[in-house]
Amino acid sequence: IRRRPRSTLDRSSAAADVYKRQFKAWRSVDQSFPIVLMFKVRYRSPLQKVIIWNHPDEPTATYIKELQVLASLDDPRTNPEAMVEIGRFKVSTPDSKVVFDVETPVTFRFATIRILSTFGQAEYVSASELGLFGPSRDPERIPMPRGSGPIPI
């Protein structure tokens, strides 16, 4: 999957409080850690790579520094114990694109990304996109977002 983060599996009003739509990149409303993002994919999918794209127009202090990825085949709303940690990743220096390899690839339908820290003290956390990919996608060929314009998808 590759898309801008959404905050919850449902479309409740709480979801609108976690990100702001008027910006070019995703922004959290505040910097209250952990920030939890949940994803659901239609079909079982392999997970081997985690990619963070940071928008060049955002301050590096807002970039994700540390995150945890959990995944399961079962819906965590009905079976919370099914979620297992896939990895905890730490970015060494702020960059426009960061790629992490999952040590033990898994198949999933539900994923949770917990953002644990950023590179500085800022009022919000930002990311242009977050991607969860299987072994068939080459992250080097996936385009990086450009500044001051539409984000290529």
Side-chain angles (χ1 to χ4, degrees), residues 36-108:
V36 179
L37 308 169
M38 298 180 76
F39 299 90
K40 175 185 176 186
V41 295
R42 183 175 295 167
Y43 304 106
R44 292 175 177 228
S45 301
L47 173 57
Q48 187 169 345
K49 294 184 186 306
V50 177
I51 304 175
I52 303 170
W53 287 269
N54 291 302
H55 202 283
D57 291 345
E58 292 290 340
T60 57
T62 67
Y63 289 5
I64 298 168
K65 182 175 184 176
E66 188 175 5
L67 71 151
Q68 177 187 32
V69 178
L70 300 105
S72 78
L73 290 170
D74 296 332
D75 189 333
R77 295 173 296 183
T78 57
N79 186 4
E81 294 81 30
M83 278 292 196
V84 294
E85 182 176 289
I86 304 307
R88 191 175 183 128
F89 306 100
K90 192 167 189 175
V91 181
S92 56
T93 57
D95 201 354
S96 57
K97 180 176 167 185
V98 181
V99 179
F100 295 106
D101 289 316
V102 173
E103 194 171 305
T104 305
V106 298
T107 301
F108 77 105

